[in-house]
Amino acid sequence: MNRPSIRTSLSKAAVAKRDEALLAQLGYKQEFKRAFKPLEVFGISFSIIGLLPSIASVLVYALPNGGASSMVWGWAVGSLFILSVGLSMAELGSAAPTSGGLYYWAHSLSSPRWRNLLSWIVGYANTVGSIASLASIDWGCAVQVAAAASIGSGQTFAATNAQLFGIYIAILLSHAIVCCLGTTVLARLQSVYVAINILLCIAVIIVLPVATPKEYINSASYALGNFTNCIYPPFFFFSFRRG
């Protein structure tokens, strides 16, 4: 009765030993515990992407600076380029699965003359980017919390800058507390985050068209071809196209 579980544990042990041998060939010794399952590793990136919050946070910029077509085609074209980057990084991560992936790859693949400088730039650029992205995500969350409070009060409540900043600090502190938890706890939380993100996406996809009055539903031609310019003068876009 226990043979399948024994085989599974043996196969996992064999994979772990093989990976440790690969790291040894790369000059690394495994130090971290492997507490994350494949779904939970995916959950980290999926949570960072945050489909709904990401879209909601940029609506205020996208709608007056291009309109519907800029969001649809900008997302589609950008996704193709991002996908190529993701596939390349996945290949590198599979070939050299080190904890310091980006700067290790930069050091390994660069010429001996520039590898130290380039790996330093990549490492610190990634660190600064992580800090900035966290601040951006939490600020967007604070804005949406304040907007939800305003909508819930019938727009009688409008958060001041101090209140908005206080919400932002509270969200930052809550995330800091979560990050102080053990690796196993963080790994299990990723499954919860994945489920929440997927359910929210499904809910919006279903509820938004159902609850929106017909007179406010735009046609496909509008979504794919509408261009709106509420801020920049026409010559700006003409110059941009010419460039």
Side-chain angles (χ1 to χ4, degrees):
M1 294 295 291
N2 295 328
R3 288 182 179 178
S5 60
I6 294 175
R7 290 178 181 176
T8 302
S9 61
L10 289 175
S11 62
K12 290 182 178 179
V15 171
K17 289 184 178 180
R18 184 185 62 190
D19 290 345
E20 288 181 16
L22 175 59
L23 288 176
Q25 293 176 1
L26 298 173
Y28 270 77
K29 179 183 178 181
Q30 180 177 321
E31 301 289 348
F32 295 111
K33 295 181 180 179
R34 297 189 174 190
F36 284 78
K37 300 176 182 178
L39 176 63
E40 294 162 350
V41 174
F42 164 76
I44 297 175
S45 299
F46 192 62
S47 299
I48 292 174
I49 293 171
L51 295 178
L52 288 180
S54 298
I55 295 173
S57 299
V58 299
L59 285 176
V60 66
Y61 306 107
L63 288 175
N65 296 291
S69 61
S70 68
M71 292 188 289
V72 173
W73 297 114
W75 179 86
V77 174
S79 296
L80 293 176
F81 290 98
I82 294 173
L83 181 61
S84 64
V85 174
L87 291 174
S88 300
M89 294 183 67
E91 185 68 21
L92 289 171
S94 177
T98 59
S99 58
L102 293 176
Y103 57 84
Y104 178 85
W105 302 333
H107 188 274
S108 301
L109 300 176
S110 302
S111 65
R113 180 180 180 182
W114 299 104
R115 60 177 42 168
N116 290 337
L117 175 62
L118 291 177
S119 61
W120 183 86
I121 292 174
V122 169
Y124 274 93
N126 185 54
T127 300
V128 173
S130 298
I131 296 172
S133 62
L134 175 62
S136 174
I137 292 169
D138 284 1
W139 178 256
C141 181
V143 171
Q144 292 172 46
V145 169
S150 177
I151 295 172
S153 65
Q155 297 185 349
T156 58
F157 168 78
T160 63
N161 289 336
Q163 291 171 333
L164 188 59
F165 187 73
I167 297 172
Y168 168 65
I169 294 299
I171 294 173
L172 277 178
L173 291 176
S174 68
H175 287 173
I177 293 172
V178 171
C179 289
C180 292
L181 301 175
T183 305
T184 304
V185 177
L186 291 175
R188 302 297 91 83
L189 284 175
Q190 300 309 315
S191 300
V192 178
Y193 297 154
V194 169
I196 292 175
N197 273 287
I198 293 176
L199 290 175
L200 284 175
C201 289
I202 294 175
V204 170
I205 291 172
I206 295 175
V207 173
L208 195 60
V210 171
T212 302
K214 291 184 178 180
E215 59 269 22
Y216 293 109
I217 296 179
N218 295 314
S219 62
S221 60
Y222 178 90
L224 299 176
N226 168 261
F227 179 78
T228 303
N229 173 25
C230 298
I231 297 179
Y232 295 103
F235 70 83
F236 176 85
F237 294 98
F238 176 77
S239 301
F240 182 77
R241 289 195 298 269
R242 294 279 292 181

